[in-house]
Amino acid sequence: MSESNLKKEFSKRDIQRMRNIITGNTSAATGTQVGYSKQSQDYQEGDVWEESGKQWTIKNSIKQTITKFDKLKKMVIMPIVCPNCNQPMKIDNINKKMWAIHHKCFDCVIKIEAEIKRTGKWDEYEKQMLNNNKNAMVDDFELSIEEFYKMQVESYVTEQGDIESWNGGKINEEEIKNVKEYIKKLREHEL
């Protein structure tokens, strides 16, 4: 055996570890360690916070990002269970239609409308529904007119690279003014 193996020295850390084992204090630290530790924060169900430029939340015990489309998804996607009565919503045309209009299942809408008829407020309810429908159609009409007016182009480039001028279809300011007045009258008119 070589002499270097016999003269092996123990470091202070090794000696302290042996002392800890002999005294039964096996979980005690024998040295200090330096490093980076990320501060973590515990969040509960429904908490909303921002991290790395994104908004986060916890839904059903799962960490999820919050996007600008979440509200749209909530409006459009029909849930499995009616939020009003907590009964399963069968995925059929009737429930889809009632969800789009009332955000309730068909059975809940029937119960609500029966109560409205019973109290004698059906005519008022029907007028409100028809006026809401009319206003939505007027909004769509106004938006389409504005988009059409923005899209007015006097010339087009064909596939061959030729420039064609189309002057006949241009809407003038007077026509737009007349349409806007008509839209205003439609909005004011109650059914």
Side-chain angles (χ1 to χ4, degrees), residues 13 22 31 36 73 94 104 113 142 149 160 175:
R13 185 176 176 172
I22 292 170
Y36 171 77
K73 283 189 229 173
I94 295 172
K104 295 176 179 67
E113 288 182 351
E142 184 176 29
Y149 183 69
Q160 290 81 20
E175 291 171 338

Side-chain angles (χ1 to χ4, degrees), residues 99-117:
W99 176 254
I101 297 170
H102 300 283
H103 294 287
K104 295 176 179 67
C105 69
F106 180 66
D107 293 336
C108 289
V109 172
I110 294 292
K111 289 175 187 173
I112 290 169
E113 288 182 351
E115 181 63 25
I116 291 171
K117 282 183 180 180

Side-chain angles (χ1 to χ4, degrees), residues 71-89:
K71 291 179 184 175
L72 179 65
K73 283 189 229 173
K74 198 171 197 177
M75 285 174 38
V76 174
I77 296 174
M78 190 172 80
I80 297 171
V81 181
C82 175
N84 194 42
C85 65
N86 293 326
Q87 295 297 317
M89 286 178 64

Side-chain angles (χ1 to χ4, degrees), residues 22-174:
I22 292 170
T23 59
N25 193 6
T26 57
S27 64
T30 58
T32 56
Q33 196 172 21
V34 178
Y36 171 77
S37 62
K38 183 179 177 182
Q39 289 183 346
S40 64
Q41 188 172 356
D42 291 333
Y43 295 101
Q44 302 299 320
E45 185 80 23
D47 288 348
V48 177
W49 71 96
E50 190 166 329
E51 185 177 296
S52 304
K54 286 185 174 181
Q55 278 194 328
W56 296 86
T57 187
I58 296 181
K59 292 181 185 175
N60 300 326
S61 303
I62 299 171
K63 181 179 171 183
Q64 299 177 355
T65 60
I66 298 175
T67 65
K68 58 185 175 183
F69 298 114
D70 285 345
K71 291 179 184 175
L72 179 65
K73 283 189 229 173
K74 198 171 197 177
M75 285 174 38
V76 174
I77 296 174
M78 190 172 80
I80 297 171
V81 181
C82 175
N84 194 42
C85 65
N86 293 326
Q87 295 297 317
M89 286 178 64
K90 185 177 176 183
I91 300 176
D92 57 6
N93 289 336
I94 295 172
N95 277 329
K96 285 180 184 178
K97 190 173 186 176
M98 291 304 121
W99 176 254
I101 297 170
H102 300 283
H103 294 287
K104 295 176 179 67
C105 69
F106 180 66
D107 293 336
C108 289
V109 172
I110 294 292
K111 289 175 187 173
I112 290 169
E113 288 182 351
E115 181 63 25
I116 291 171
K117 282 183 180 180
R118 190 186 66 76
T119 58
K121 297 180 181 178
W122 179 256
D123 291 336
E124 180 183 327
Y125 173 77
E126 187 178 30
K127 283 181 184 178
Q128 180 185 4
M129 293 297 290
L130 289 172
N131 283 320
N132 289 344
N133 191 25
K134 177 209 45 129
N135 290 337
M137 291 175 70
V138 169
D139 291 341
D140 289 343
F141 178 63
E142 184 176 29
L143 186 62
S144 64
I145 292 294
E146 288 174 5
E147 287 297 317
F148 181 73
Y149 183 69
K150 288 178 187 176
M151 298 289 290
Q152 294 297 307
V153 178
E154 294 181 5
S155 61
Y156 290 94
V157 178
T158 64
E159 292 176 358
Q160 290 81 20
D162 299 331
I163 298 175
E164 294 181 4
S165 66
W166 294 8
N167 296 332
K170 186 98 172 135
I171 297 177
N172 62 26
E173 296 294 325
E174 184 68 30

Side-chain angles (χ1 to χ4, degrees), residues 7-19:
K7 292 187 177 183
K8 184 175 181 184
E9 289 191 30
F10 293 102
S11 66
K12 289 182 181 180
R13 185 176 176 172
D14 294 335
I15 294 171
Q16 184 60 44
R17 181 69 185 143
M18 284 185 233
R19 284 184 184 146

